[in-house]
Amino acid sequence: MNSKTFCIAPWASTRINPDGGLVPCCKISQDFPTKNIGNIEDFTKDWWNNEPMQQLRSDLAQGIKTKYCNNCWIDEETGKSSLRQEYNKRLAKHTNLRKIAKSSNYIVEDLPLAVDLNFSNICNYKCLMCGPDRSSKIQTERKQNQVKFKSLDFLLPLVNYDFDWPNKDKFQTFFKNVMPNLREIELKGGEPLLIKDVMPTIKSVENKKQCAVAIITNGSVEFNDDFVDQLKQFQQIWLCVSVDGILEHGEYVRYGSHWPTVHNTIVKLSKLDNCYFQLSTVLQFYSSLTFPRIVDYAIANDLNINLLFCDTPDFLSIHSMLPGHHAKFLQFINEKIQQHPHIQWLKSVQGYLRIYKFDPVLHEQCRQYTNTMDDIRNNRLDTVQELFQDA
């Protein structure tokens, strides 16, 4: 096996997207061939060991940097620990690597050890970098304002998913089969605490003492005592609160949020026993304005940040930043690294900003999108408008 490309995920992990689509992990590119959990007869034959999965395993084992894994290759290029590297650390100890190395084919007999379940798009936020596939609120907003959105032909389309797959026999059979050897379960959305399937799923996990549970929340919904008690039964808890701005910045980018509520959730969750807690932040166009406050907040509260790099929609990527704002942002990060040389996530931001390449087409799309959203939501910030004027 080639250690520079090998990833345990295709041997040990399965993610189910909100539409029921099966993929190996959350970082795989959107053009990877998928199957729907509701449409397959045999998980092992129709998905787990089908031709695309076998080819993916072959490429990663033999040193081929497949295009489907570009998100991890970019993370590693910038100095950030990629999901590939994290999975290898966490899951390899539960698998027989010697057997994998000696195998003459790429058929896997064992079922996944880790599942990433995205039950629905139900959400109470309308984040600017999100889409209808992840937020029911955005789906509704887009339907109600179709005339105003008509000119934005670069947006992700509306969705027509069957979100009832968690209650159907094929998923129930799959989950029952993987549960005995489960080592990690991630629960996402939408907003997972608003999704009715999350609590029953947590309760149903039989080997909690051998399994870690991970939840990414927007911080708007209280973790009640019953929910926390269920989490405490797991071997380890991983919790993430998504933060893309502090105070009015956060309430603008993550529209529908209320910063005092989010802050209170952060304080409560960060104090839980046996819990690895961090903030989750999307590095995007608006970050040159919003991220400096996030940095100061995280440092003041001794919090780690898990960075996500916005590539979809591409017009909200850092490549739509005007050069002057990018330069000021990079200067800020460089100064913070000098003050806090031990903070790795700052160095990862620096790495991302160094692969910046201004794209005027994306910038214009970003401007059109931002102005349209401001008009629909009546939610204009002058400091955001300044991002469209070079510094």
Side-chain angles (χ1 to χ4, degrees), residues 111-127:
L111 290 172
L113 299 169
V115 293
D116 177 352
L117 303 177
N118 299 256
F119 284 125
S120 173
N121 71 341
I122 293 174
C123 189
N124 53 344
Y125 283 9
K126 294 185 282 188
C127 302

Side-chain angles (χ1 to χ4, degrees), residues 112-370:
L113 299 169
V115 293
D116 177 352
L117 303 177
N118 299 256
F119 284 125
S120 173
N121 71 341
I122 293 174
C123 189
N124 53 344
Y125 283 9
K126 294 185 282 188
C127 302
L128 284 169
M129 60 287 184
C130 196
D133 60 326
R134 303 286 170 183
S135 169
S136 54
K137 287 282 189 179
I138 292 177
Q139 173 88 339
T140 300
E141 181 179 63
R142 290 271 297 277
K143 287 181 177 179
Q144 292 173 342
N145 296 276
Q146 292 187 51
V147 173
K148 291 185 177 180
F149 282 114
K150 190 174 182 179
S151 62
L152 305 182
D153 56 2
F154 47 82
L155 291 181
L156 295 171
L158 294 173
V159 299
N160 186 26
Y161 297 160
D162 177 10
F163 291 113
D164 197 41
W165 57 263
N167 301 307
K168 294 184 177 178
D169 290 344
K170 289 176 182 177
F171 170 73
Q172 296 293 331
T173 299
F174 159 77
F175 194 64
K176 182 179 180 180
N177 289 338
V178 301
M179 198 188 309
N181 294 314
L182 205 58
R183 293 295 176 266
E184 294 184 9
I185 179 170
E186 296 185 59
L187 299 163
K188 302 173 185 173
E191 167 51 44
L193 271 71
L194 294 176
I195 299 172
K196 62 181 177 61
D197 301 295
V198 167
M199 186 60 155
T201 301
I202 288 176
K203 287 184 175 181
S204 71
V205 176
E206 298 171 352
N207 63 327
K208 292 183 176 70
K209 293 301 181 183
Q210 289 79 44
C211 184
V213 60
I215 295 177
I216 298 178
T217 176
N218 63 28
S220 66
V221 184
E222 183 181 3
F223 279 59
N224 61 44
D225 291 342
D226 185 29
F227 194 83
V228 172
D229 287 343
Q230 287 294 322
L231 296 182
K232 286 180 177 180
Q233 296 178 39
F234 284 81
Q235 183 185 53
Q236 189 173 23
I237 308 168
W238 301 327
L239 296 178
C240 238
V241 173
S242 298
V243 173
D244 290 287
I246 308 297
L247 298 171
E248 78 277 8
H249 291 169
E251 293 173 357
Y252 177 85
V253 175
R254 303 185 67 81
Y255 188 73
S257 68
H258 178 243
W259 172 249
T261 300
V262 175
H263 170 69
N264 289 338
T265 300
I266 292 170
V267 171
K268 178 178 179 178
L269 299 185
S270 63
K271 294 179 180 179
L272 288 180
D273 293 335
N274 194 34
C275 176
Y276 177 66
F277 178 84
Q278 56 185 345
L279 306 181
S280 180
T281 298
V282 179
L283 201 63
Q284 57 185 296
F285 169 80
Y286 306 106
S287 296
S288 62
L289 169 67
T290 62
F291 197 72
R293 282 191 193 173
I294 297 173
V295 170
D296 292 339
Y297 178 83
I299 292 174
N301 293 279
D302 194 25
L303 298 172
N304 188 46
I305 294 181
N306 176 46
L307 288 168
L308 303 173
F309 186 72
C310 181
D311 61 351
T312 304
D314 55 0
F315 61 84
L316 289 182
S317 73
I318 63 170
H319 306 299
S320 59
M321 287 182 188
L322 287 170
H325 291 291
H326 169 266
K328 286 182 65 176
F329 189 14
L330 182 57
Q331 180 182 357
F332 169 82
I333 294 298
N334 290 340
E335 291 172 355
K336 285 295 180 180
I337 290 174
Q338 289 181 342
Q339 297 168 16
H340 306 278
H342 62 288
I343 298 181
Q344 182 57 46
W345 51 262
L346 282 172
K347 297 175 183 177
S348 297
V349 176
Q350 182 188 63
Y352 280 126
L353 293 178
R354 284 177 174 169
I355 64 172
Y356 161 86
K357 186 177 181 180
F358 177 61
D359 188 320
V361 174
L362 294 182
H363 177 78
E364 176 57 23
Q365 290 178 343
C366 181
R367 185 190 66 79
Q368 293 176 32
Y369 172 74
T370 301

